[in-house]
């Protein structure tokens, strides 16, 4: 089971990596836009790759196969740990097959159904990213999608890794891992929520208050 951080914020990535909490990073154009300003996105991807020893998903922004393959090839040249993210469209699936045949790992993103996940695996995806929270947002059952994909991939020995995405709270994380997702990618806020527990805070406050009464240094 792996945990990725879903952000392009270098400070958050470095801090989580320093504690050994994360195995990789996912980004998307919206997350990049939050931090990029007038910087070259390629520089940002390189900095992220240097901050974490694991896969870093960097997404294409083209919508036609040829340009996706060109962007994906340039993204992959930034660092050996780049996984190129392509959208789950017909052009995206063809680009996935082409990039995968060049030994570039591909993360097929914006997956909202089991048949889409099946086709991404057929196209050679290294990762499939089902978006749990966005399905829940429209009153569908995001977690059920993870279950279906797990069953289908296991039934037919498909090696594409299920990367549970669009996770909005700790229960999403725990449930998707219980369902057999290979990876959960979390926004920093969800990672912080996983760490915190009110009983930990109360217990720590009581320990420190008792120590204070002793009036000693350690
Ligand atoms: C994953 O790769 C996506 O970047 C992300 O999980 C999308 O999450 P959102 O639906 O909260 O934007």
């Amino acid at each position: 089971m792996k945990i990725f951080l879903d952000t392009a914020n270098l400070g958050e990535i470095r801090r989580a990596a320093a504690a050994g909490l994360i195995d990789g990073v996912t980004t998307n154009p919206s997350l990049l836009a939050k931090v990029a300003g007038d910087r070259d996105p390629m520089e940002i991807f390189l900095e992220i790759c240097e901050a974490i020893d694991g896969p870093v998903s960097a997404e294409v922004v083209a919508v036609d196969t040829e340009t996706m393959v060109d962007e994906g090839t340039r993204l992959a040249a930034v660092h050996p740990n780049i996984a190129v993210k392509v959208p789950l469209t017909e052009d995206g699936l063809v680009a996935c097959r082409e990039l995968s045949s060049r030994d570039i790992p591909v993360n097929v993103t914006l997956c909202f159904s089991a048949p889409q996940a099946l086709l991404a695996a057929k196209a050679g995806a290294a990762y499939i990213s089902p978006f749990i929270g966005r399905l829940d947002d429209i009153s569908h059952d995001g977690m059920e999608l993870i279950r279906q994909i797990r069953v289908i991939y296991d039934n037919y020995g498909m090696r594409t890794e299920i990367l549970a995405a669009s996770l909005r709270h700790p229960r999403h994380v725990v449930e998707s891992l219980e369902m057999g997702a290979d990876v959960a990618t979390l926004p920093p806020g969800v990672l912080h929520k996983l760490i915190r527990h009110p009983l930990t805070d109360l217990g720590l406050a009581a320990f420190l208050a008792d120590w204070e009464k002793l009036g000693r240094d350690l």
Side-chain angles (χ1 to χ4, degrees), residues 19-34:
L21 303 182
I22 55 169
D23 307 290
V25 165
T26 51
T27 66
N28 62 38
S30 306
L31 294 172
L32 248 287
K34 279 188 195 168

Side-chain angles (χ1 to χ4, degrees), residues 72-88:
T73 307
R74 286 189 289 110
L75 285 166
V78 167
H79 194 278
N81 284 351
I82 290 282
V84 173
K85 236 173 164 184
V86 303
L88 211 157

Side-chain angles (χ1 to χ4, degrees), residues 117-200:
L118 169 65
L119 297 175
K122 298 279 289 176
Y127 303 97
I128 183 68
S129 290
F131 275 36
I132 306 311
R134 293 193 195 187
L135 279 169
D136 288 357
D137 288 346
I138 58 161
S139 301
H140 285 240
D141 185 351
M143 217 43 75
E144 172 60 11
L145 176 57
I146 300 279
R147 191 195 66 74
Q148 290 176 325
I149 301 173
R150 182 74 280 157
V151 170
I152 292 167
Y153 281 5
D154 287 350
N155 280 351
Y156 298 101
M158 293 175 144
R159 289 164 57 187
T160 300
E161 292 191 49
I162 303 173
L163 195 168
S166 185
L167 303 177
R168 303 273 168 78
H169 49 71
R171 276 188 56 193
H172 270 160
V173 180
V174 175
E175 286 174 14
S176 61
L177 295 174
E178 282 176 343
M179 290 286 178
D182 300 287
V183 190
T185 189
L186 336 176
V190 174
L191 180 65
H192 298 149
K193 282 183 184 160
L194 289 184
I195 295 168
R196 297 283 303 266
H197 193 288
L199 290 180
T200 306

